[in-house]
Amino acid sequence: MSDLNSLILEQLQWFIGGGILLILILLVMVLTQGAKLRKMRRKYDLMMAGSGVENLETLLIDLKVQMDSIEDEHELQRKTLENVLAKLQQVKGKIGIKRYNAFSGQGSDLSFSIAIVDEKKNGVVISALYSRDSSYVYAKPLAAGESSYALSPEEVEAISLASQQA
């Protein structure tokens, strides 16, 4: 046992030196980490200054709530836009007019056919036939550019003119 005590006494200076060195290394690490923490705290305070928020967690929660409401609003607007586009395709907004002389040798180009159609060529074609003695107006429904009534060449041309519009 005395041999062990003498061995420890001989090496005691090395144990103490090693312990002091370890303590100094740990002290330098603590000071370095403290400086980094102070620097990070200053950056955090600078970032949060003027935001009116106590801490970053509250700020992030508020931003998440705002983002969710924006996404909900965006989805609502997207659905509304899809509905508007679907209805817009059904609007009879394409118009084609063909003027002509229905009765050759009499009058002038006072007769006409007007086609009012949508994107799918659904709509109506209206024809007015003019002569010196009388005037007639006819309306024919259209489905996909066709009618259950016979179409004159002028009516077909008016439908063609209407469907060519952008």
Side-chain angles (χ1 to χ4, degrees):
M1 189 71 139
S2 68
D3 290 338
L4 185 60
N5 284 339
S6 64
L7 181 64
I8 291 176
L9 284 175
E10 288 174 10
Q11 302 299 323
L12 186 60
Q13 65 188 6
W14 294 107
F15 284 130
I16 292 174
I20 291 173
L21 182 63
L22 183 63
I23 289 173
L24 288 175
I25 291 171
L26 290 175
L27 181 63
V28 168
M29 287 177 65
V30 165
L31 292 175
T32 304
Q33 293 300 320
K36 288 181 181 180
L37 186 60
R38 280 189 300 277
K39 185 177 176 182
M40 189 178 295
R41 182 65 184 186
R42 279 194 300 268
K43 287 182 179 180
Y44 174 78
D45 289 339
L46 184 63
M47 179 183 73
M48 297 303 288
S51 68
V53 178
E54 299 277 330
N55 60 23
L56 188 58
E57 181 181 9
T58 306
L59 178 65
L60 290 175
I61 290 171
D62 289 345
L63 289 175
K64 174 69 172 132
V65 169
Q66 287 176 0
M67 186 62 122
D68 289 343
S69 67
I70 288 171
E71 286 175 355
D72 292 343
E73 182 72 22
H74 179 263
E75 183 64 22
L76 179 65
Q77 289 177 351
R78 187 186 62 77
K79 287 179 181 178
T80 303
L81 182 61
E82 285 176 358
N83 289 338
V84 168
L85 289 176
K87 288 180 182 179
L88 186 61
Q89 289 179 350
Q90 297 173 356
V91 170
K92 310 314 188 242
K94 295 184 173 190
I95 299 173
I97 299 174
K98 171 65 177 166
R99 289 183 60 122
Y100 57 96
N101 186 355
F103 305 104
S104 61
Q106 298 180 27
S108 59
D109 292 343
L110 296 178
S111 298
F112 66 88
S113 291
I114 181 169
I116 304 170
V117 297
D118 64 6
E119 291 288 329
K120 298 177 183 174
K121 294 186 182 179
N122 297 326
V124 66
V125 62
I126 300 170
S127 294
L129 303 177
Y130 174 79
S131 71
R132 289 183 186 171
D133 299 330
S134 61
S135 180
Y136 302 98
V137 178
Y138 302 98
K140 298 175 185 175
L142 294 174
E146 301 293 326
S147 178
S148 57
Y149 301 96
L151 296 173
S152 70
E154 292 82 7
E155 291 170 334
V156 171
E157 188 175 347
I159 295 168
S160 176
L161 289 171
S163 62
Q164 291 174 2
Q165 291 181 354

